[in-house]
Structure formats: C-alpha cells, structure tokens
Amino acid sequence: MFQSKSLESLVAELKKLPGIGTKSAVRIAFHILRTPADEVRLLARDLAAVKEKVRLCSVCGNYTEAETCELCEDPRRDTSTICVVEQPSDIHVVESTGVFRGTYHVLHGVLSPLEGVRPEALRIGELVERCRNDGVSEVVLATNPTVEGDATAYYIAEALRKLDVTVSRIARGVPVGGELEFADQLTLARALNGRRELE
Amino acid sequence: MFQSKSLESLVAELKKLPGIGTKSAVRIAFHILRTPADEVRLLARDLAAVKEKVRLCSVCGNYTEAETCELCEDPRRDTSTICVVEQPSDIHVVESTGVFRGTYHVLHGVLSPLEGVRPEALRIGELVERCRNDGVSEVVLATNPTVEGDATAYYIAEALRKLDVTVSRIARGVPVGGELEFADQLTLARALNGRRELE
C-alpha cells in the first residue's frame, strides 16, 4: 500500500487505537512524517513513560504515579463516601461534574460470565475491606447502566449488605437536554419508574 | 486534571495529532494504559522508525526508505506521464483509484504568498528537469481544487509551456454519488462549464 515498511507498520499500530480507522491512521501517519523529529520523540517518550510510571493507587485502584493517588491523598475529600466505577477513566468523567466530593473505588472491569470475568477478578474484596475498616457510610454504585454494570452493582450491594453502609445506585432516566421522542423505551420506562416528587 | 503528570503530558501530545480532540486524546491515553507494555513499545518504536528511515524519493519526492521509491522503480509504470500532487499522501489517494498508471511528482506544498511559500520552495525545478530529460509527454496537475492549488497548477503550466509536453488539470465537477441539491454553486458552475458530450 505504501512505499515504506515502517509507514505501513505505523498505520497498522495506529489502527489499533480506539476511534482510529484506516483513514485517520493514514492521516496521522502522514502528519507524523511532516512533524519535526523532536516532537515525535516527545510523543514516543510519553507513550513509554505512562506505561513505566503509571500504576494503580493502593487504596482506590485509580491510576497514579505514587503509592496512593491525589484524590485519596486530598484531605478535603470526604472519605466516608465511596463512588464505585468500572474504569479509572470513569473517575475523570464523574470528577468533571464537580458534584461528587467523596473518594472512589475502581473495579477495573465488570462481572461478565461470557467473558469469564468473575467477582474475584474485580476489586470487590478491597472495597468490602475499605467499608469495614475505614469508616465508610455510603457507597454510590456508578457502574455503567448496562446489563453487566447492573449485575455488578447488585453483586456489590449484596456483598455489602451485612455492613453498616448505605448503598445507592446512580439514577437512570432521560438525559438532560434530550427529547422524549428520541429516548429508547427502556430508558423512558426507567425514568417513569424513577420519578421524583417536585418540591 | 489527572492524577499523573505523564498521563497529562501524553494527552497533550495526542491532541496535536490531526482529528484528535480532547475527548479522543483522553480515550486513547486510557486505552494505552490498559494495553500491554509490549504493544505500546511497538507503537513508540514505529513512531521513531518512520522519522529515522523514511526519506524523500530522489526522483519524485514521494516517501520511501530507499534512494528511489517503489513507484519510480516499478518497470510497469508509464514514465512518460507524470501526475503532480501537493503531498505524498495524495499519491496514496490517486493510487487507490487504480486509474493512473504513470509516475508522480510531489511538490510538498502549494504556492502561498500569504504563508511565504514561493515557487523555489516547491519541487517545480525538479519537475521541469524531468520533463526536459526523461521523455515525458504528459503532466497531469492534480493539486487540490483550491485557490492555492489552482494558482500552483497555472504556475507549473506556465513553467512547462516551452517544453513539448501536454499539460492537463484533473476535472472539477459534482462528486459521483452526490446530489445537485447539496453541491455548492462554484462546483456546479464548474460542472456545467466542463460538461462533456455523451458518446
């Protein structure tokens, strides 16, 4: 396809990235060729650096370069409330709302019998330990609103049942700014069932 | 934003790539963190490799890892016809049509008084030399159908006027599969002016 083996190889590697198809990969590869070598080295160095330096926070499982992450270290965060998410990237999304002031717990996956992901593979034991020992009063389950996310949420709720913690699940309903006409039946049904009295 | 300096740095570098906004950059960065280190090394290696190995074909200016590119070396290509393009990536696009069997000449830019790109900065002198010495009978100007692309095409046509070569420009018109309703006025005007008798 191209007149260069290394160019072909780069395109093949770029195509493995999420959201990058053949056209984007070719476009990025040609952009790389026009970019000064110094800048490309920066990108290559950063790619290697994240894999070397970034590890999991020993408390919550978030990505960090230290023993524990900045959120767990932050004295202003409310450690009595834990928001449980599937992936570290979900922390980023929840944080962007500015609504949650507690700490997090990252499962690094969801229960999935089809893909052979059993409870032991997720960080549920660590969560139970935190709830037992660290004065936790509420656990907010913010796994994705999918079949796997729901099943995982129920499993965790069950695991925490005997402990003295309130377990909640993020609300499902019509998205803000969305139109009912375009909402799917299941979401609309959830929104109706989950209706709340106006104050 | 993140709990890792190297992650932030990677996102900043990724955002410089064409077609990659903040959301895509974050998504790719988190994907990199979940990818085995070996695979990430492959990508980093390929990024460095293209900058080290890839250079310009001494004949046509295409990207190559050898002295001359595979297209120039290919004995099946018709060396009497040269397709002039702005960038090496355009060769890839023209080749994908399977229609052109000649060779190429890459300008590596277009005339642009605003950006200070003068004729000497493009590989026009090399093109004139090829036309003069290598038995070229036709030059197809396939610069982009933009103001700069057109101006560059006219400049090249002028530079080749005294030589015994036919100079042509790729046709402008409504895109195949497109609808007249959505064509802009200029394109439609070009399509009307460039109408051809049905055989």
Side-chain angles (χ1 to χ4, degrees):
Chain A
M1 187 156 109
F2 300 108
Q3 278 67 59
S4 155
K5 281 263 181 303
S6 51
L7 193 56
E8 267 181 46
S9 177
L10 175 60
V11 169
E13 288 300 321
L14 288 171
K15 273 166 67 177
K16 292 180 189 167
L17 300 176
I20 306 288
T22 305
K23 274 207 170 179
S24 301
V26 169
R27 192 164 159 226
I28 292 173
F30 278 115
H31 172 89
I32 295 286
L33 284 170
R34 282 194 299 267
T35 304
D38 283 355
E39 280 195 38
V40 178
R41 261 196 295 274
L42 279 184
L43 175 57
R45 189 205 59 189
D46 285 348
L47 282 168
V50 290
K51 294 306 291 183
E52 275 167 30
K53 293 185 187 166
V54 177
R55 49 179 176 156
L56 301 186
C57 170
S58 61
V59 178
C60 72
N62 185 14
Y63 288 131
T64 177
E65 292 185 22
E67 171 66 22
T68 50
C69 77
E70 284 176 33
L71 289 167
C72 287
E73 289 292 320
D74 190 342
R76 293 164 301 177
R77 308 292 302 206
D78 170 16
T79 53
S80 71
T81 311
I82 294 179
C83 177
V84 177
V85 292
E86 291 180 18
Q87 296 294 346
S89 48
D90 296 328
I91 292 184
H92 177 56
V93 182
V94 176
E95 280 297 288
S96 68
T97 67
V99 165
F100 185 71
R101 299 305 301 162
T103 53
Y104 292 89
H105 195 85
V106 187
L107 299 173
H108 288 277
V110 271
L111 292 179
S112 172
L114 282 176
E115 293 181 21
V117 182
R118 295 171 50 76
E120 303 82 58
L122 307 175
R123 302 178 66 259
I124 296 174
E126 285 92 332
L127 176 65
V128 174
E129 281 307 299
R130 283 179 76 182
C131 291
R132 191 169 282 151
N133 304 328
D134 299 354
V136 175
S137 60
E138 182 178 359
V139 170
V140 182
L141 299 169
T143 52
N144 287 327
T146 57
V147 174
E148 290 87 355
D150 283 343
T152 309
Y154 284 118
Y155 182 92
I156 293 173
E158 197 58 38
L160 299 176
R161 181 188 293 272
K162 284 172 198 151
L163 300 178
D164 186 24
V165 282
T166 309
V167 178
S168 62
R169 180 91 172 98
I170 51 165
R172 261 74 59 90
V174 284
V176 178
E179 293 183 34
L180 288 197
E181 194 180 341
F182 302 121
D184 62 292
Q185 291 171 320
L186 213 59
T187 300
L188 199 51
R190 291 273 196 170
L192 286 167
N193 286 334
R195 66 189 178 279
R196 293 171 71 169
E197 204 171 329
L198 287 174
E199 284 146 28
Chain B
M1 187 157 109
F2 300 109
Q3 278 66 60
S4 156
K5 281 263 179 303
S6 51
L7 194 55
E8 268 182 45
S9 176
L10 176 60
V11 169
E13 288 300 320
L14 288 170
K15 273 167 67 177
K16 293 181 187 166
L17 300 176
I20 306 290
T22 304
K23 275 207 169 178
S24 302
V26 170
R27 193 163 161 227
I28 291 173
F30 278 115
H31 172 89
I32 294 287
L33 283 169
R34 282 194 300 267
T35 305
D38 283 353
E39 280 195 38
V40 178
R41 261 196 294 274
L42 279 184
L43 175 57
R45 189 205 59 189
D46 284 348
L47 282 168
V50 289
K51 295 303 291 183
E52 274 167 30
K53 292 185 187 165
V54 176
R55 49 179 174 155
L56 302 187
C57 169
S58 60
V59 177
C60 73
N62 186 14
Y63 289 129
T64 177
E65 291 184 22
E67 170 68 20
T68 51
C69 77
E70 284 178 32
L71 289 167
C72 286
E73 289 292 320
D74 190 340
R76 292 164 301 175
R77 307 293 300 207
D78 170 13
T79 54
S80 71
T81 310
I82 295 178
C83 178
V84 177
V85 293
E86 291 181 18
Q87 297 293 346
S89 47
D90 297 327
I91 291 183
H92 175 58
V93 181
V94 176
E95 280 297 288
S96 68
T97 66
V99 164
F100 184 72
R101 299 305 300 162
T103 53
Y104 291 90
H105 195 84
V106 187
L107 299 173
H108 289 277
V110 271
L111 292 180
S112 171
L114 283 175
E115 293 182 21
V117 181
R118 298 171 49 76
E120 302 82 58
L122 307 175
R123 300 177 67 259
I124 297 174
E126 286 91 331
L127 175 66
V128 174
E129 281 307 300
R130 283 179 77 185
C131 291
R132 192 169 277 151
N133 304 327
D134 300 354
V136 175
S137 60
E138 183 177 0
V139 170
V140 182
L141 299 169
T143 51
N144 287 327
T146 58
V147 174
E148 289 87 357
D150 282 345
T152 309
Y154 283 118
Y155 183 91
I156 294 173
E158 196 59 36
L160 298 176
R161 183 187 290 273
K162 284 173 195 148
L163 301 177
D164 188 23
V165 283
T166 309
V167 179
S168 62
R169 180 92 173 96
I170 52 165
R172 261 76 58 91
V174 285
V176 178
E179 294 184 34
L180 287 197
E181 196 181 337
F182 301 121
D184 62 291
Q185 291 172 320
L186 214 59
T187 300
L188 199 51
R190 291 273 195 172
L192 286 168
N193 285 335
R195 66 190 179 278
R196 292 170 71 169
E197 206 172 327
L198 288 172
E199 281 147 30

